[in-house]
Amino acid sequence: MILEHAGNAEARTLAGWRKLGGYASVEKALKGMTPEQVGEEVKKAGLRGRGGAGFPAGLKWSFLDRKSDKPRYLVCNADESEPGTFKDRYLMEHLPHLLVEGMIVSSFALGAKTSYIYIRGEYMYLLRLLEKAIGEAYAAGYLGNDILGSGYSLDLHVHPGGGAYICGEETALLESLEGKRGNPRIKPPFPASQGLYGCPTVVNNVETIATVPHVLRMGGEAYAAIGVGKSTGTKLISASGHIKRPGVYEIELGKVSCEEFLLSDAFCGGPKNGRPIKAVIPGGSSVPVLPLALFLKTAKGEARMMSYESLADGGFVSGTSLGSGGFFAMDESACMVRNLWNLTRFYHHESCGQCSPCREGTGWMEKVLHRLEAGQGRLSDIDLLVDIAKKIEGNTICPLGDAAAWPVASHIRHFRHEFEYHVKYPEKVKDPRHGEREPVAMPK
Amino acid sequence: MPELRFSPAALAEVKRLLAHYPADRKKSALLPVLHLAQNELGPHLSVPLMDYVAGLLEITPIEVYEVASFYTMFNTRPVGRFKLEPCRTGPCALNGAEDLIAYLEKKLGIRDGETTADGLFTLKSTECLGSCGSAPVMQIGEDYHENLTFAEVDRLLENLKQRAGR
Ligand SMILES: Cc1cc2nc3c(=O)[nH]c(=O)nc-3n(C[C@H](O)[C@H](O)[C@H](O)COP(=O)(O)O)c2cc1C
Ligand code: SF4
Ligand code: FES
């Protein structure tokens, strides 16, 4: 649905996008609906935020403080920096007008007169592409004053980040948009009452906003009929790692099994080097890793499906999370200690440094992991890591602390034997490519 | 040293950027203006250059320094003419990122984070670029170079050297 015209180069121009039915939702909403009715359809659709947390978009919109006499803002989160995630980039590159269209109807629903797309600075070429699409939309009367004679006016701008994962966190993003360091704010107050410039603000992910035109086109109820249960609609999954067919796939939530997604040629196509897949991180680096067996089947032995609920089945003991849809798979040659050290280095590097458990804890974990990986660790280091992770979790201003703790807990929970191996056979792990060169170093 | 003043075209761009934000929120334009400053008058943001930006946006110099130093894309210290930024994060590390970085280090004769003696290249490995499905990947300026092989790296570096007239 979302990616329907992604392969069609015509879709990238306004004229082409219109020919394909584009901007119909703007006509429909601005000319024939009230903002409340648009919000109602999004609620009925059961659309959940696609940025990672899966919070219902309609509900979030309903929290927006509409009584305040301050301006309201819609800010699109295009900061996409969660390792393994590259779906928003694909969407914006192939369907820039779908995002612009979504921003117009969503801003209308929220009563925003100015809206922003906050895009990570590394995507500067996409910023230029979006600005071009926005320019076309102004020229065609879909943006600016009195859009299509409806009386509704909207300005839309793109704002670049400067290279900081933390700016994906919505309050850090707002700080950054105000020209400051990306330090997350203490909540409450929530952006719905005090967001950008202290005004009521909604922050939504690119994919969430790009789905709204489809919800309006087909109606909220019809959208909710796609998918399974509370996992309504479709989700973009960016797949990478040791698989044959990396790329961005759109799946109907709950209708594709994890086995099919990993092995079928319609999706990942199975392992690429002929070695069996050992582990999967299905929702971006922050969600728990699962060993293959638990990825394919829940602890109860049921086939696991690609949906919010099924991936979460078993909680963090035997389950994981759909997260951002940043899916990556590791085969038998991957060293889980090295993988965790790498990811922990990432969180340490990206910690904004405001809270000591996150700032110090991530640095400490990185150090301990580095020495384990180099064959200089002790057995007690393994429980030390679990302990540090526990002390970070829940004790920080923003969820980056949790995001750094979960991979540590899950890597050790499911692959403790690999950590022990590093302590017991230091000479075998001296070569940094031990995973690949010495598969024996990674016993089952 | 280029003159620390924007060209008329860049000044027009600053004006366009400022119009994106409320009139009393000029500071909001800081990130886009710093990108512009680094592109036009860089490749690094010297203290006088940051002071110039502060003046344009009517904010204090410290407000610019603290922001410039927070974000990895801004070079607050001198860098080479071309900054090579290979991704080093997990998904890419599964598909050759470590080999790519090691190859670049060997080829350029420098370590990650350093600049070649001729001032042409700075090597700075970076975190996930949103290109994990096309690993190994390296960003140079605004361009993404994906699914890299060593031969392509050789070609890329050759092209950059030619562009610099070396
Ligand atoms: C450390 C951190 C990084 C995040 N990065 C992103 C991101 O890159 N893109 C995104 O849409 N949401 C990201 N989020 C989630 C946002 O805070 C926010 O929940 C989301 O943009 C809301 O949009 P949605 O409800 O449409 O998903 C991040 C959260 C945290 C804690
Ligand atoms: S948890 Fe980490 S990233 Fe989040 S506010 Fe605290 S120090 Fe900053
Ligand atoms: S991990 Fe390298 S681009 Fe995402």
Side-chain angles (χ1 to χ4, degrees):
Chain A
M1 177 164 55
I2 298 179
L3 296 187
E4 192 184 343
H5 301 298
N8 185 344
E10 247 198 326
R12 302 187 199 187
T13 63
L14 184 127
W17 184 241
R18 282 190 50 177
K19 240 191 270 165
L20 296 166
Y23 288 102
S25 73
V26 176
E27 308 254 354
K28 187 169 178 179
L30 271 60
K31 286 185 167 166
M33 296 169 80
T34 65
E36 292 71 28
Q37 284 169 332
V38 175
E40 207 40 52
E41 291 305 316
V42 172
K43 234 183 203 173
K44 277 193 226 155
L47 171 62
R48 295 170 64 171
R50 304 297 195 219
F55 192 82
L59 195 58
K60 184 188 269 188
W61 290 12
S62 71
F63 293 153
L64 186 73
D65 180 1
R66 287 160 207 269
K67 295 200 189 84
S68 146
D69 52 7
K70 292 182 185 160
R72 292 172 225 150
Y73 292 102
L74 170 64
V75 179
C76 172
N77 188 341
D79 192 55
E80 184 160 71
S81 316
E82 168 92 358
T85 316
F86 48 100
K87 64 180 181 81
D88 295 338
R89 176 180 171 206
Y90 185 87
L91 196 160
M92 291 185 283
E93 182 159 342
H94 293 86
L95 302 164
H97 283 285
L98 175 60
L99 178 59
V100 173
E101 182 176 346
M103 286 299 288
I104 299 168
V105 287
S106 305
S107 301
F108 172 71
L110 297 166
K113 301 250 174 327
T114 306
S115 294
Y116 296 97
I117 299 172
Y118 181 102
I119 191 165
R120 65 179 296 183
E122 292 85 348
Y123 289 176
M124 199 58 87
Y125 77 102
L126 287 179
L127 176 143
R128 300 187 204 291
L129 203 142
L130 286 171
E131 284 194 334
K132 191 167 152 271
I134 288 170
E136 288 179 325
Y138 269 103
Y142 290 119
L143 281 169
N145 277 328
D146 191 16
I147 299 170
L148 305 177
S150 67
Y152 175 66
S153 305
L154 174 69
D155 283 313
L156 176 60
H157 307 296
V158 196
H159 180 99
Y165 166 64
I166 192 56
C167 290
E169 194 280 333
E170 57 184 9
T171 60
L173 183 149
L174 296 174
E175 287 285 298
S176 182
L177 186 46
E178 292 180 5
K180 302 180 201 152
R181 298 164 72 97
N183 288 340
R185 299 174 182 168
I186 294 172
K187 296 193 257 188
F190 290 93
S193 56
Q194 288 178 46
L196 183 63
Y197 309 132
C199 302
T201 302
V202 166
V203 180
N204 271 134
N205 173 257
V206 170
E207 185 187 346
T208 313
I209 288 172
T211 303
V212 176
H214 292 287
V215 168
L216 289 188
R217 178 173 51 81
M218 62 175 62
E221 268 163 37
Y223 184 87
I226 306 169
V228 170
K230 284 189 175 159
S231 290
T232 65
T234 65
K235 173 87 186 83
L236 300 184
I237 310 285
S238 58
S240 65
H242 292 142
I243 52 169
K244 269 202 199 112
R245 293 167 36 86
V248 178
Y249 299 101
E250 182 173 10
I251 55 155
E252 180 172 354
L253 284 165
K255 291 291 172 70
V256 177
S257 73
C258 289
E259 180 170 358
E260 183 185 359
F261 188 74
L262 179 64
L263 299 177
S264 139
D265 280 338
F267 302 106
C268 299
K272 74 167 187 179
N273 297 319
R275 287 182 292 246
I277 297 295
K278 169 162 82 176
V280 171
I281 296 182
S285 62
S286 306
V287 312
V289 63
L290 285 182
L292 180 72
L294 274 179
F295 173 67
L296 299 179
K297 286 199 164 98
T298 66
K300 287 176 259 164
E302 288 163 4
R304 211 186 273 281
M305 308 297 288
M306 294 289 284
S307 73
Y308 290 100
E309 290 77 20
S310 186
L311 281 167
D313 191 302
F316 278 6
V317 177
S318 62
T320 178
S321 169
L322 180 62
S324 64
F327 176 105
F328 55 108
M330 287 149 272
D331 71 24
E332 295 280 357
S333 71
C335 169
M336 300 308 282
V337 180
R338 194 167 187 80
N339 191 57
L340 181 60
W341 161 63
N342 181 306
L343 296 179
T344 303
R345 177 180 66 183
F346 168 81
Y347 290 106
H348 180 216
H349 183 258
E350 301 299 332
S351 165
C352 83
Q354 276 191 111
C355 348
S356 33
C358 170
R359 182 188 62 234
E360 304 300 325
T362 52
W364 195 8
M365 293 194 301
E366 183 195 337
K367 240 191 231 154
V368 174
L369 280 162
H370 188 254
R371 84 177 168 229
L372 275 169
E373 166 62 4
Q376 291 159 2
R378 298 180 281 262
L379 269 182
S380 59
D381 282 346
I382 304 172
D383 287 326
L384 175 64
L385 285 168
V386 174
D387 191 50
I388 305 172
K390 263 195 206 133
K391 287 188 173 128
I392 300 175
E393 197 181 342
N395 291 319
T396 55
I397 293 177
C398 93
L400 185 139
D402 303 340
W406 294 334
V408 173
S410 60
H411 275 73
I412 296 179
R413 181 180 305 121
H414 298 301
F415 297 96
R416 185 179 273 266
H417 51 275
E418 290 196 17
F419 291 79
E420 289 170 351
Y421 189 96
H422 280 67
V423 178
K424 287 185 198 150
Y425 305 102
E427 74 287 355
K428 296 245 188 206
V429 297
K430 262 196 203 126
D431 176 352
R433 302 181 66 159
H434 47 269
E436 214 169 302
R437 298 235 166 100
E438 191 116 28
V440 66
M442 307 298 143
K444 279 244 156 140
Chain B
M1 273 292 268
E3 202 186 342
L4 279 187
R5 236 195 283 136
F6 275 140
S7 63
L11 278 175
E13 175 66 3
V14 172
K15 204 169 152 203
R16 185 186 76 91
L17 291 169
L18 279 170
H20 291 174
Y21 312 98
D24 58 342
R25 298 285 182 173
K26 286 205 164 112
K27 185 172 172 176
S28 267
L30 183 51
L31 266 68
V33 172
L34 281 177
H35 279 296
L36 187 68
Q38 188 162 290
N39 286 343
E40 283 261 320
L41 304 167
H44 100 277
L45 296 168
S46 62
V47 170
L49 181 49
M50 289 192 280
D51 293 348
Y52 172 66
V53 168
L56 280 177
L57 300 183
E58 297 164 22
I59 55 180
T60 60
I62 184 74
E63 291 175 277
V64 181
Y65 308 157
E66 64 170 20
V67 163
S69 62
F70 183 85
Y71 297 92
T72 56
M73 290 181 77
F74 300 124
N75 308 313
T76 46
R77 271 177 290 171
V79 289
R81 165 117 185 241
F82 304 107
K83 196 173 167 194
L84 312 176
E85 299 179 281
C87 170
R88 68 179 192 183
T89 316
C92 277
L94 297 172
N95 281 321
E98 295 181 3
D99 292 343
L100 171 65
I101 294 167
Y103 183 75
L104 284 162
E105 286 185 328
K106 195 168 139 225
K107 171 120 191 153
L108 299 170
I110 54 174
R111 301 259 296 274
D112 189 3
E114 295 177 348
T115 300
T116 52
D118 60 5
L120 218 46
F121 299 108
T122 295
L123 176 64
K124 182 82 189 72
S125 67
T126 188
E127 301 292 0
C128 181
L129 288 165
S131 188
C132 332
S134 344
V137 47
M138 168 160 69
Q139 186 162 37
I140 307 175
E142 289 181 15
D143 298 330
Y144 276 75
H145 302 277
E146 305 176 305
N147 298 308
L148 280 170
T149 61
F150 293 162
E152 274 163 73
V153 170
D154 290 348
R155 218 170 316 135
L156 268 173
L157 296 185
E158 242 359 273
N159 285 346
L160 292 175
K161 275 187 198 159
Q162 273 180 15
R163 216 204 290 172
R166 307 260 176 113

